[in-house]
Amino acid sequence: MKEFFFILDTTPMNASLSFDFCNIKVFDFYMIVTFNEGVTVTPKMNHTLIHVTETHFDDQPFVYISNRVNSYAVNPEIYLDTAKIKNLKGLAIVSTNYQAKVNARIEKMFFSKPFETFSDIDDAIRWGQMLISR
């Protein structure tokens, strides 16, 4: 008999932020970023995201979850700066799109911290909980 492990995430949202290139939902130990369709993520956009992490997480450990429901481009070099965030414990990519998952494998090579892909956002949150509890 197969066992299933279920964690109900009842973490309240701390902030909901909208920018011209993405929407961000900030929770206690993670943030979910959804980029707009057709965006090319630039270093300037990445600096905005880094500022959000500094504002909302200070020195508290957190996980970045990229909810890839839209198609957009990422310069993988951006991950070199993102990996420098000291309290960032890992990055999760959530998508059911095959090409997005292939792109994530390439992006992973530029990121020096835990980096995983998921088909379900709840799985990404559970993974984040595991990273934070280490």
Side-chain angles (χ1 to χ4, degrees):
M1 179 177 205
K2 193 173 189 177
E3 287 187 44
F4 291 93
F5 188 74
F6 181 78
I7 299 173
L8 179 60
D9 182 31
T10 58
T11 306
M13 186 180 352
N14 296 333
S16 181
L17 309 167
S18 289
F19 297 94
D20 60 349
F21 60 92
C22 75
N23 292 304
I24 303 171
K25 294 179 180 178
V26 180
F27 297 85
D28 286 345
F29 69 90
Y30 62 95
M31 63 190 276
I32 300 173
V33 180
T34 306
F35 281 96
N36 297 341
E37 182 74 32
V39 166
T40 297
V41 182
T42 65
K44 183 178 178 182
M45 292 174 189
N46 195 48
H47 289 296
T48 299
L49 296 174
I50 291 170
H51 178 71
V52 168
T53 67
E54 293 168 346
T55 301
H56 289 277
F57 295 106
D58 194 28
D59 288 327
Q60 177 185 335
F62 75 98
V63 173
Y64 179 112
I65 300 173
S66 178
N67 186 23
R68 297 206 175 164
V69 293
N70 297 316
S71 177
Y72 60 92
V74 177
N75 178 341
E77 292 179 18
I78 286 174
Y79 291 115
L80 299 174
D81 280 339
T82 304
K84 293 177 185 175
I85 302 170
K86 291 179 182 169
N87 52 326
L88 175 62
K89 297 302 176 188
L91 192 144
I93 305 294
V94 178
S95 181
T96 57
N97 179 283
Y98 174 77
Q99 188 60 50
K101 289 180 179 186
V102 169
N103 292 344
R105 279 190 236 141
I106 295 166
E107 294 165 24
K108 184 176 184 173
M109 293 187 287
F110 291 83
F111 195 69
S112 59
K113 294 183 178 187
F115 184 115
E116 294 294 333
T117 58
F118 299 92
S119 297
D120 181 84
I121 205 142
D122 291 331
D123 291 338
I125 293 168
R126 282 190 285 277
W127 176 77
Q129 287 174 319
M130 187 257 328
L131 282 179
I132 298 299
S133 66
R134 282 186 184 172

